[in-house]
């Protein structure tokens, strides 16, 4: 590896087409500048969005594509103007690696809503090179989009917090729902949902998990600490819970009816959409109007919120429930994730994997 001004050849695991099958891929990292951080990837979580992207389900995939946006790595080199990080620091990189820095969201420190944001993979960087993600030996990232992992937090535990944890923490914080005594619902108990239960409980909320079947009841109540478990097809129980919740975090990444869940919300309650769904959803307006309810969305979180969230999780002792795999298992992991066959997040041990063919 040369100095920061030279390109580096690295190996990652990339999808070549919409089959979404990953295999070793050799490429060069973009040219680096004075504010860039070179990191050796240690761990990378697998998010449901990775499936959407590698399979071109959103219609905007560019191949070859190295996915992975829950990245924890060790700083190997820093540019001459990097002030926040030193060689040897353990750091995180999430969904975004660039923004315009001039628009209102950027100036308001909510750069995740910048219309010119640059995704950590499947995008084009300012120099014209394709961005590639964390299923790889190394990444080069502008220091603005790098965050320090708190001391004592392991790489594999920290990785899912950078997307799943942040995705839940940000709306709870922004909408003033981070105070104790609230009653919240978590719809869908996957990677984001399980973090939702943990973070909401740590904020002092009474948490109800809402699921389509009874099969996750024991996990929700015993392992994650939920207070109630509600099966959405149980009409009697759903009626009992009408007008009881201050908010619902809806993590379902597929088309589903909204009316059953809107009816659970109190006056001024919020249904917060988080699942990436590439088709229209429907609802009857009186269900919203007659309770002054809101249907809103939220997208990951800002770098400032990322730092807050990591400190909150460290302070409260919040950890992710994960299954650690090697890179040679990644295709099977994606297959299992698509079937919701994981409790609750896969994390790839990148540094401990053989990436070369």
């Amino acid at each position: 590896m040369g100095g920061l001004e030279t390109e580096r050849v690295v190996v990652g695991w990339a999808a070549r087409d919409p089959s979404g099958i990953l295999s070793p891929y050799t490429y060069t990292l973009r040219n680096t500048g004075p504010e860039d951080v070179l990191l050796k990837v240690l761990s990378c979580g697998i998010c449901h969005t990775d499936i959407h992207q590698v399979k071109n389900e959103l219609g905007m995939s560019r191949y070859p594509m190295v996915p992975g946006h829950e990245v924890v790595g060790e700083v190997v080199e820093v540019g001459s103007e990097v002030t926040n990080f030193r060689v040897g620091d353990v750091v995180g990189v999430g969904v975004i690696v660039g923004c315009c820095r001039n628009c209102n969201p950027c100036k308001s420190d909510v750069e995740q809503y910048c219309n010119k944001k640059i995704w950590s993979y499947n995008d084009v960087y300012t120099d014209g090179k394709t961005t590639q993600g964390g299923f790889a030996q190394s990444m080069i990232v502008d220091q603005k989009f790098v965050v320090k992992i708190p001391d004592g937090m392991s790489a594999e535990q920290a990785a899912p917090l950078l997307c799943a944890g942040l995705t839940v923490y940000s709306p709870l914080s922004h909408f003033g729902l981070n105070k104790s005594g609230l009653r919240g619902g978590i719809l869908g108990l996957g990677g984001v949902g399980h973090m939702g239960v943990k973070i909401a409980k740590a904020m002092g909320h009474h948490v109800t998990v809402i699921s389509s079947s009874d099969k996750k009841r024991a996990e929700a109540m015993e392992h994650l600490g939920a207070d109630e478990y509600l099966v959405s097809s149980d009409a009697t129980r759903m009626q009992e819970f009408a007008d009881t919740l201050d908010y619902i975090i809806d993590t379902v990444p597929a088309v589903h009816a909204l009316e059953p869940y809107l009816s659970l919300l109190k006056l001024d309650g919020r249904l917060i959409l988080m699942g990436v769904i590439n088709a229209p959803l429907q609802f009857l307006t009186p269900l919203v109007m007659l309770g002054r309810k809101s249907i809103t969305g939220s997208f990951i979180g800002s770098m400032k919120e990322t730092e807050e969230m990591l400190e909150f999780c460290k302070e409260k002792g919040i950890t992710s429930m994960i299954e650690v795999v090697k890179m040679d298992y990644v295709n099977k992991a994606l297959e299992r994730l698509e079937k919701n066959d994981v409790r609750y997040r896969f994390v790839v041990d990148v540094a401990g994997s053989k990436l070369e063919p």
Side-chain angles (χ1 to χ4, degrees), residues 230-242 264:
L230 190 54
V231 178
S232 55
S233 58
D234 185 337
T236 303
R237 289 271 289 161
M238 288 288 281
Q239 182 59 42
E240 287 172 11
F241 276 76
L264 302 178

Side-chain angles (χ1 to χ4, degrees), residues 178-194:
N178 53 352
K179 52 182 184 281
S180 64
L182 297 181
R183 299 178 75 90
I186 306 294
L187 177 56
L189 199 59
V192 175
H194 102 280

Side-chain angles (χ1 to χ4, degrees), residues 19 35 70 76 122 188 206 223 257 259 272 274 277 317 338 349:
S19 71
E35 293 200 29
E70 298 180 341
V76 177
N122 193 38
H206 181 282
H223 300 166
E259 281 100 339
I272 305 168
M274 295 187 170
I277 304 170
E338 201 160 19
D349 173 15

Side-chain angles (χ1 to χ4, degrees), residues 83-106:
T83 55
N84 300 328
F85 306 101
R86 296 180 302 183
V87 172
D89 283 350
V90 177
V91 298
V93 177
V95 178
I96 293 172
V97 294
C99 64
C100 79
R101 307 191 189 215
N102 296 314
C103 65
N104 282 336
C106 285

